[in-house]
Amino acid sequence: MDLHDLAWKAASGQQEGSSLPPLDGSVEAMRLRILGKLIYQVGREPRTASPRDWFVATAYAVRDAATSSWFADRAAEGEGGKRVYYLSLEFLIGRVLMDTIGNLGLTGQVREALQQCGVQLDEIVLEEPDAALGNGGLGRLAACFMESMSTLKIPAYGYGIRYEHGLFRQVIEQGLQRELPETWLAHGNPWEFPRATFYPVDFGGSVTGEPGHEPTGPHVWTPDETIHAVAYDTPVVGAGGQHTNTLRLWAARAPEPLQLDAFNRGDHVGALRDRVKTEAISRVLYPGDESSAGQELRLRQEYFFASASLQDLLSRHLVEFGTLDTLPDKAAIQLNDTHPAIAIIEMMRLLVDVHRLDFDRAWTITNETFSYTNHTLLPEALETWPVALMERLLPRHMQLIYLINMRHMQAARDKGADHRVLAELSLVDELHGRRVRMGHLSFLGCHAINGVSALHSDLVRSRLFQDMDQLYPGRISNKTNGITFRRWLHRANPGLTRLLVETLGDGILSDPLQMGRLADHADDPALQAAFAAERLACKQRLAIVIRERTGIVVDPASLFDVQVKRIHEYKRQLLNIVQAIAHYRAILADPGRHWVPRVKIFAGKAAPGYVRAKEIIRLVHDVAQMVNNDPVVGDRLKIVYMPNYNVSLAEQIVPAADLSEQISTAGMEASGTGNMKLALNGALTIGTLDGANIEIRDFVGAENIFIFGLTASEVAAQSATGLDSHHAVRANPVLSEVFDMITSGQFSPEEPHRYRNLIDGTQSYDRFMLAADFDSYAAAQAEVDAFWQQPARWWRMAMLNTARLGWFSSDRSIREYAESIWRVPVMQP
Ligand code: 26V
């Protein structure tokens, strides 16, 4: 039967419904389904269909396959189990197609079905835009956790915002970052189901108590603005395809599509004004990462999605159980940082004002239901909201915060807290212009608080919430982050995965700890060669991408040294490029020596308003320009800045990395998860004792990682003595010569003072300890070169990294949350 006949067979099946073969896992059924979708949903004939049309048709066919287990799960949920609700302003998902067919076990069938239509799966996957509804680590963690919760068959909903525009697209012009709007929904989104479900969300107005009621009794909020939150559901299929959860994202809709009277008067723009303002709430993701936005629109986003999510989960609970008394037994709500923390107060409002529960009972239910993950200690990233703004936008919530704070202060006084401690504990910071501390509110409103690595959780306890921890001991625990191996090893690195399966059996696919047995083979020369060959193949592919996107030609035999993450001073891309300049000078000084050829790869976005981060990007480009065109240097050093870093680019870079740069100032990177992805794929880490690097070192062994620099407590001690590093720089000839080279304009002859501020600022206020860590970093880099020249040693270390990273699976993280915070049953591997 030729394609055309097949298409019509599929088409008639589609029409009649009955003759369309069920998706039984066969190639034939998949082929008919894809063709049916192509014709009836996309509206194209196979003859004229574009790669994008084929992608969309395939996505619809695959979504059908996901839907049946989704229905089954929701039927089973009706049996009264506990559900997890993961509230996050960010889900950094990336592409969905390969993950979904991989987890459904349909990759082979889909590939073959498309092949029979003359279409290559590997080509059409490129048509899918990344869902970039997140900034970085926090959002990507939420995506990994969603996948792991489905894999472990935990009934869960992710709640977030369906941003029309995700994280901006980065283009680099003459070394300058420019931000362009991202348009992932421009051609529709085949994975989502728009729902008729919507909830009203109110803002502004006034509050009155009911006559005769206590201050803790129900109040009436008369808002002056109401917005509708409409639901869009995306199925999240777990590995093995046996369980599928829901990611429910909210879009803002104006209750009235337009002001008809204004329109009829001829005011066509004015007729839409309110609608535009209302719908701005879900228009765009805030592009900051470690600095609090503090803007009204951001608070509106936070409340909008928190309120819709709580209304939704409470109505689901009431339909199923008829009473809110059982909420803590049937629902666990996890707050991904403080961004959704206003949900704690919204829960109180709904319980007290709408469902008319007693205040104390409501507080107990709230506390037993909520838990909170902290993802940063940086003071500039900790959210606080001006009291005046809260009073204007959320008057009832501000009242409830005062009430809760009064009782909290009384409890503290009863336990002997003095004035200093009370000021530390208060939900309202009185010293910086009266602001509500969302971290404190989260601590108080939750029964469990966790950090995201062992060190970070210790610092959460000892630095951030010391007084809170003393008042409410035992709430803080650690849940070290993890990554989903399905995406970050099996799919991103199929060659290495095949090698691991051939060597260790396919048990490693479902139980990553079994990779530990790779250690027994780490000295096997044949396996080392095979491991190295897989790496080389990935590097060859990446070299092509580098040339396509930057024009730079790199030798895949070089050491690929990778720092990919958001651009931030604490992550110290500046330390990396400064050391690269020192290395460049050393090559020029002794070109005859044998130098290990290196390609330094940078990628990452800077927050649009973060001037110094943008200067660092520009410096990397200026240095690259000189180094890459220096005939004396040749292939001994190349510097590459890959624009527009996103999940899909990470999937190409991670398997091709030899060296992973994890060089944050100790105590500042909460965990890191790129560190895990790179080490899992066999890159060696050069890093500080920060975040999860410490646990990575514990697992791989100190002899299989390059650790340098001050520890977190040394950083704290040094900060206490002052941050001026002029002396230290002057005492260091290598560093001062590099700084001189930059400040004298050698990398920017057309504008000699371009980096004056950047470098002078670093010296007079070296908050990130660049000077203090420079020498030990350079020494660690020299050690890297020495090890690279001993291949048997290098590849043994690389294999031991892969072997010993199994613990960093997000399945392990989720199991820990499930057992000790959510108290929901989990499957064992
Ligand atoms: C703050 C803001 C401020 C307003 C604008 C939007 C926005 C978005 C995010 C944030 C805080 C980001 C905190 C964060 O991403 N932390 C990272 O979390 C990762 C997962 O736990 C962890 O691996 C990283 O070390 C940590 O930096």
Side-chain angles (χ1 to χ4, degrees):
M1 205 183 294
D2 77 1
L3 253 188
H4 198 73
D5 290 341
L6 258 177
W8 287 108
K9 183 174 166 207
S12 53
Q14 192 87 347
Q15 255 177 334
E16 291 160 18
S18 58
S19 58
L20 184 66
L23 284 168
D24 55 5
S26 71
V27 172
E28 174 70 357
M30 183 54 72
R31 179 171 57 160
L32 292 175
R33 186 69 61 119
I34 293 171
L35 286 167
K37 296 292 177 185
L38 185 71
I39 292 170
Y40 280 98
Q41 229 147 325
V42 182
R44 283 266 184 244
E45 282 187 85
R47 273 188 301 126
T48 57
S50 67
R52 162 168 287 280
D53 296 328
W54 282 107
F55 158 70
V56 176
T58 306
Y60 280 129
V62 170
R63 191 181 72 167
D64 283 1
T67 307
S68 32
S69 84
W70 200 21
F71 290 160
D73 286 332
R74 287 196 291 186
E77 266 181 29
E79 288 159 19
K82 188 170 184 177
R83 291 189 187 86
V84 174
Y85 294 101
Y86 197 85
L87 268 58
S88 179
L89 262 272
E90 306 195 6
F91 289 92
L92 186 42
I93 296 167
R95 290 181 177 137
V96 176
L97 179 59
M98 290 307 279
D99 239 38
T100 305
I101 61 178
N103 280 2
L104 287 168
L106 290 175
T107 309
Q109 291 89 320
V110 171
R111 187 182 299 281
E112 176 62 25
L114 285 167
Q115 182 97 51
Q116 290 178 11
C117 301
V119 175
Q120 299 307 313
L121 174 61
D122 296 331
E123 282 167 23
I124 67 161
V125 297
L126 304 177
E127 298 294 323
E128 180 173 9
D130 271 36
L133 310 184
N135 273 288
L138 169 144
R140 183 54 233 177
L141 185 76
C144 285
F145 278 9
M146 286 303 296
E147 199 262 4
S148 277
M149 288 190 286
S150 292
T151 297
L152 297 178
K153 304 189 172 71
I154 296 171
Y157 285 77
Y159 278 123
I161 293 179
R162 180 180 178 273
Y163 301 107
E164 197 174 315
H165 304 286
L167 186 60
F168 65 84
R169 195 154 60 79
Q170 179 195 54
V171 292
I172 307 280
E173 291 168 355
Q174 258 97 256
L176 301 177
Q177 167 177 298
R178 214 155 72 84
E179 301 90 26
L180 296 179
E182 182 282 339
T183 55
W184 71 300
L185 294 173
H187 304 280
N189 172 6
W191 302 112
E192 70 187 6
F193 292 89
R195 300 297 188 194
T197 314
F198 74 87
Y199 296 96
V201 177
D202 297 330
F203 291 95
S206 56
V207 180
T208 47
E210 293 182 5
H213 269 292
E214 300 288 304
T216 53
H219 283 60
V220 179
W221 176 16
T222 313
D224 55 23
E225 187 185 359
T226 298
I227 291 168
H228 288 174
V230 300
Y232 288 76
D233 287 349
T234 300
V236 180
V237 180
Q242 291 162 34
H243 185 93
T244 298
N245 284 323
T246 304
L247 176 61
R248 173 161 279 196
L249 301 179
W250 302 104
R253 290 282 176 273
E256 301 295 342
L258 86 170
Q259 240 100 50
L260 206 49
D261 48 349
F263 189 87
N264 290 339
R265 280 197 312 272
D267 181 5
H268 301 153
V269 175
L272 287 169
R273 194 165 294 128
D274 285 355
R275 174 168 172 197
V276 170
K277 183 183 175 226
T278 300
E279 296 182 357
I281 288 189
S282 56
R283 192 81 67 205
V284 52
L285 167 77
Y286 266 82
D289 58 344
E290 298 275 357
S291 119
S292 182
Q295 308 286 320
E296 176 170 337
L297 181 61
R298 171 75 177 179
L299 182 58
R300 286 165 69 91
Q301 287 186 336
E302 294 184 356
Y303 178 63
F304 162 77
F305 115 98
S307 177
S309 306
L310 288 201
Q311 292 182 61
D312 192 44
L313 73 88
L314 286 182
S315 81
R316 184 174 303 114
H317 182 85
L318 280 173
V319 165
E320 200 170 333
F321 303 102
T323 167
L324 291 172
D325 283 330
T326 53
L327 190 69
D329 306 326
K330 300 298 179 188
I333 303 175
Q334 187 71 39
L335 304 177
N336 199 23
D337 216 296
T338 59
H339 314 155
I342 192 67
I344 292 167
I345 305 300
E346 175 69 353
M347 179 68 94
M348 287 298 289
R349 186 188 72 85
L350 292 169
L351 295 183
V352 172
D353 292 355
V354 178
H355 298 282
R356 308 187 78 80
L357 264 64
D358 166 71
F359 190 93
D360 289 314
R361 178 79 195 117
W363 185 244
T364 304
I365 289 176
T366 300
N367 190 268
E368 288 176 354
T369 306
F370 278 94
S371 47
Y372 152 58
T373 305
N374 173 282
H375 293 271
T376 180
L377 299 171
L378 288 196
E380 60 267 43
L382 300 178
E383 280 190 302
T384 61
W385 290 107
V387 167
L389 174 61
M390 294 271 289
E391 270 166 349
R392 177 160 58 79
L393 223 54
L394 302 169
R396 176 58 176 146
H397 296 76
M398 196 59 233
Q399 252 184 16
L400 286 163
I401 289 171
Y402 280 133
L403 211 52
I404 291 163
N405 199 36
M406 267 169 47
R407 298 152 78 95
H408 166 52
M409 292 289 93
Q410 191 54 53
R413 270 190 296 269
D414 292 348
K415 291 203 180 170
D418 62 16
H419 268 305
R420 184 205 65 84
V421 174
L422 287 176
E424 288 289 329
L425 286 170
S426 175
L427 297 187
V428 181
D429 177 358
E430 308 279 352
L431 294 178
H432 304 89
R434 292 187 50 82
R435 302 175 75 94
V436 181
R437 295 164 161 159
M438 302 310 273
H440 282 54
L441 170 61
S442 303
F443 195 112
L444 193 61
C446 294
H447 68 282
I449 292 97
N450 74 281
V452 289
S453 72
L455 172 69
H456 172 66
S457 296
D458 284 347
L459 298 176
V460 164
R461 190 181 294 110
S462 62
R463 295 186 185 170
L464 197 57
F465 290 129
Q466 206 186 60
D467 296 304
M468 280 291 210
D469 181 50
Q470 261 162 38
L471 191 57
Y472 303 101
R475 288 191 186 183
I476 301 176
S477 73
N478 175 244
K479 300 287 168 280
T480 299
N481 284 165
I483 56 175
T484 169
F485 286 21
R486 271 81 61 185
R487 183 180 285 259
W488 295 107
L489 179 63
H490 310 161
R491 247 82 87 189
N493 202 343
L496 180 58
T497 304
R498 211 172 306 119
L499 182 64
L500 294 170
V501 167
E502 280 165 17
T503 311
L504 305 168
D506 64 5
I508 61 150
L509 297 176
S510 52
D511 176 10
L513 292 177
Q514 289 191 27
M515 291 199 299
R517 286 184 284 112
L518 186 63
D520 304 339
H521 308 264
D523 289 309
D524 173 349
L527 201 59
Q528 285 194 352
F531 199 94
E534 293 300 342
R535 172 75 50 77
L536 183 62
C538 295
K539 288 161 74 175
Q540 284 163 340
R541 281 191 291 273
L542 183 61
I544 293 169
V545 178
I546 289 173
R547 197 175 52 189
E548 284 168 357
R549 300 207 188 164
T550 69
I552 301 168
V553 177
V554 300
D555 178 1
S558 314
L559 188 164
F560 277 24
D561 164 344
V562 165
Q563 188 173 20
V564 290
K565 50 184 80 242
R566 287 299 287 259
I567 310 299
H568 207 294
E569 289 168 275
Y570 86 81
K571 295 178 187 284
R572 296 201 294 192
Q573 284 93 354
L574 184 57
L575 175 62
N576 188 347
I577 194 67
V578 161
Q579 198 278 324
I581 297 170
H583 188 63
Y584 170 53
R585 290 171 57 86
I587 294 172
L588 293 185
D590 187 5
R593 200 181 115 184
H594 174 74
W595 296 96
V596 170
R598 255 201 217 223
V599 179
K600 283 203 153 272
I601 299 169
F602 294 83
K605 294 174 181 176
Y610 192 171
V611 174
R612 292 172 72 83
K614 288 181 155 181
E615 287 173 350
I616 293 168
I617 294 177
R618 193 174 196 186
L619 177 61
V620 174
H621 280 89
D622 281 345
V623 175
Q625 183 68 25
M626 178 178 295
V627 170
N628 295 347
N629 296 304
D630 191 328
V632 179
V633 174
D635 271 343
R636 283 174 281 200
L637 180 61
K638 292 280 179 221
I639 297 174
V640 173
Y641 199 102
M642 295 280 273
N644 202 37
Y645 184 58
N646 60 11
V647 172
S648 294
L649 185 56
E651 288 165 2
Q652 296 178 275
I653 294 176
V654 164
D658 295 308
L659 186 66
S660 161
E661 300 266 357
Q662 307 301 335
I663 61 176
S664 52
T665 313
M668 297 196 182
E669 188 72 271
S671 160
T673 44
N675 48 1
M676 302 170 190
K677 291 160 198 168
L678 286 153
L680 175 64
N681 281 273
L684 303 188
T685 301
I686 182 167
T688 47
L689 287 175
D690 199 14
N693 294 354
I694 296 175
E695 287 145 278
I696 291 175
R697 180 204 57 179
D698 292 345
F699 274 92
V700 304
E703 67 287 6
N704 297 308
I705 186 168
F706 302 97
I707 295 290
F708 71 94
L710 300 181
T711 63
S713 46
E714 288 165 351
V715 168
Q718 172 127 351
S719 300
T721 70
L723 294 171
D724 190 319
S725 66
H726 280 101
H727 269 305
V729 173
R730 234 164 297 136
N732 186 324
V734 177
L735 185 55
S736 50
E737 277 164 26
V738 172
F739 276 7
D740 286 347
M741 204 175 163
I742 301 172
T743 49
S744 66
Q746 295 207 41
F747 297 104
S748 55
E750 67 284 19
E751 190 192 342
H753 296 326
R754 183 174 288 164
Y755 300 109
R756 257 253 184 99
N757 272 335
L758 182 66
I759 300 301
D760 287 354
T762 299
Q763 292 189 74
S764 47
Y765 186 67
D766 194 2
R767 186 182 163 202
F768 304 102
M769 304 280 147
L770 196 138
D773 277 349
F774 178 79
D775 281 343
S776 62
Y777 180 54
Q781 289 288 18
E783 210 187 343
V784 168
D785 282 343
F787 279 44
W788 180 259
Q789 287 168 285
Q790 303 162 249
R793 189 168 183 189
W794 183 279
W795 293 109
R796 172 190 152 79
M797 290 169 73
M799 282 166 63
L800 289 177
N801 269 263
T802 299
R804 295 174 176 168
L805 244 81
W807 187 77
F808 295 91
S809 162
S810 46
D811 296 353
R812 187 270 316 153
S813 309
I814 287 299
R815 236 178 255 122
E816 291 183 5
Y817 279 90
E819 280 161 12
S820 79
I821 297 181
W822 303 332
R823 299 180 184 280
V824 295
V826 254
M827 295 237 321
Q828 289 310 317

